[in-house]
């Protein structure tokens, strides 16, 4: 009974510490749209995971497993760098326990599908991008609850951490394996249908985030949105930006080529916000999490905007400097091709001489006859 009475007190206290204000969680939970929002979140997660599975080819997966650089980068980026970054930001900005858990949960999530789309726009390595997203999603089944357990120790004496549903988190992660496996099967059996589903999942990602942002803002109300502390908005801006920088630095340490560095950078900074939203929505009591349910949506907004700036800068500057290298490679290829053709012509002319000698053979008997 004591533990069931604690969450409302936490929601009320966090209003003074910069978290969700008192009563925000109750109004959020009493909304008629709440149930529909839960269904939308679950469907969005299923479509996203299905699209991720459709992007995975078994042949490429086997090659990556034989040379598991992508798997290692996904492990270091998503479950070492990003959780530590989220933990440090929560400490630096002195977040209360509710906001800290929301930030930690987002930092411990695997990579999202947005990175696959952005990797295409910056001429990245798509195979590496897809393998990193898929492998981090599978690793999250075990490593995400572990990271949450490790980094939430600082707030262990608070009710929100004591109620942290690690079992429910694992169950939610496990439920994503079914659409991923179905997507892999569709890719294997029906490649064209898989390509279509990948496009649908990417567009549904953008549409769903917009709908969630609008519905959640409507349910919480502008007054309650204003109670989200400025430090949370600041973290939502800094965290993806720092993730992109950490990913690029990580790829540089591994001495990867520039297009792979851009890919790893985007893979590290882009989190699976659909998964984070689903866990917050489906596993935490609304009166406990309150307005902090908005954090993954804020993160999605800023990670998309910053990735868009990344793409814009690359299109304006990076691509022009990349073209001469490509042209140089094409010229070298043309020169080598010309040399090869000259050698083939020389060999052909030699064959022609032998053909003339064949023509001279019938003349010899004529001279002999004379």
């Amino acid at each position: 009974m004591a533990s069931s009475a604690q969450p409302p007190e936490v929601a009320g206290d966090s209003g003074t510490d910069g978290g969700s204000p008192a009563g925000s969680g109750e109004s959020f939970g009493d909304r008629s749209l709440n149930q529909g929002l839960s269904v939308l979140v679950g469907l969005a997660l299923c479509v996203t995971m299905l699209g991720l599975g459709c992007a995975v080819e078994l042949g490429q997966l086997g090659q990556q497993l034989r040379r598991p650089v992508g798997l290692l980068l996904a492990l270091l980026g998503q479950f070492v760098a990003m959780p530590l970054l989220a933990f440090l930001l929560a400490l630096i900005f002195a977040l209360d326990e509710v906001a800290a858990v929301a930030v930690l949960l987002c930092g411990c999530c695997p990579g999202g599908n947005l990175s696959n789309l952005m990797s295409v726009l910056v001429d990245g390595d798509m195979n590496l991008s897809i393998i990193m997203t898929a492998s981090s999603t599978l690793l999250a089944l075990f490593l995400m609850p572990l990271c949450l357990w490790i980094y939430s120790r600082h707030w262990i004496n608070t009710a929100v951490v004591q109620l942290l549903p690690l079992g429910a988190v694992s169950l939610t992660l496990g439920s994503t394996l079914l659409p991923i496996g179905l997507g892999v099967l569709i890719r294997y059996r029906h490649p064209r249908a898989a390509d279509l589903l990948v496009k649908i999942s990417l567009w549904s990602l953008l549409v769903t985030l917009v709908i969630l942002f609008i519905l959640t803002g409507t349910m919480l109300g502008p007054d309650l949105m204003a109670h989200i502390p400025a430090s949370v908005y600041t973290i939502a801006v800094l965290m993806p930006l720092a993730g992109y920088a950490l990913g690029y630095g990580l790829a540089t340490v591994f001495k990867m080529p520039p297009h792979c560095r851009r890919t790893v950078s985007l893979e590290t900074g882009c989190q699976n916000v659909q998964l984070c939203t689903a866990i917050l929505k489906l596993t935490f009591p609304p009166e406990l999490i309150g307005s902090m349910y908005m954090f993954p949506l804020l993160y999605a907004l800023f990670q998309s905007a910053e990735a868009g700036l990344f793409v814009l800068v690359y299109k304006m500057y990076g691509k022009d400097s990349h073209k001469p290298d490509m042209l140089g490679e094409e010229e070298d290829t043309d020169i080598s091709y010309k040399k090869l053709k000259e050698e083939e012509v020389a060999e052909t002319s030699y064959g022609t001489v032998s053909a003339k000698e064949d023509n001279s053979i019938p003349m010899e008997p004529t001279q002999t006859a004379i």
Side-chain angles (χ1 to χ4, degrees), residues 45 48-49 73-86 102-116 118 132-133 136-137 140 144 147-148 205 209 235-236 239-244 246-247 264-277 295-304 306-307:
L45 181 61
T48 301
M49 295 297 102
L73 289 171
L75 173 64
L76 295 177
Q78 297 297 340
F79 301 109
V80 176
M82 290 304 292
L84 180 60
L85 173 64
V103 171
L104 282 176
L105 189 62
C106 190
C108 295
C109 278
N113 282 25
L114 178 66
S115 59
N116 305 141
M118 293 301 177
M132 285 188 67
T133 305
S136 67
T137 303
M144 187 176 176
C147 289
L148 285 172
L205 164 65
L209 289 177
I235 291 176
M239 194 168 157
L241 190 62
Y244 295 142
L246 286 172
V264 176
S265 173
L266 291 168
E267 280 294 328
T268 304
C270 289
Q271 300 295 89
N272 192 335
V273 291
Q274 301 97 310
L275 178 61
C276 183
T277 303
F295 180 76
L297 301 180
L298 293 174
Y299 188 95
L301 177 64
F302 290 113
Q303 81 171 3
S304 302
E306 291 166 7

Side-chain angles (χ1 to χ4, degrees), residues 114-166:
L114 178 66
S115 59
N116 305 141
L117 176 62
M118 293 301 177
S119 294
V120 174
L121 298 178
V122 297
D123 300 323
D125 188 335
M126 277 306 298
N127 290 336
L128 178 62
S129 177
I130 292 170
I131 290 300
M132 285 188 67
T133 305
S135 58
S136 67
T137 303
L138 295 177
L139 288 171
L141 185 62
F142 308 101
L143 295 182
M144 187 176 176
L146 178 62
C147 289
L148 285 172
W149 181 80
I150 291 173
Y151 289 108
S152 64
R153 297 297 91 191
H154 181 77
W155 299 274
I156 188 63
N157 293 324
T158 60
V160 69
V161 174
Q162 291 174 355
L163 294 175
L164 187 62
L166 295 179

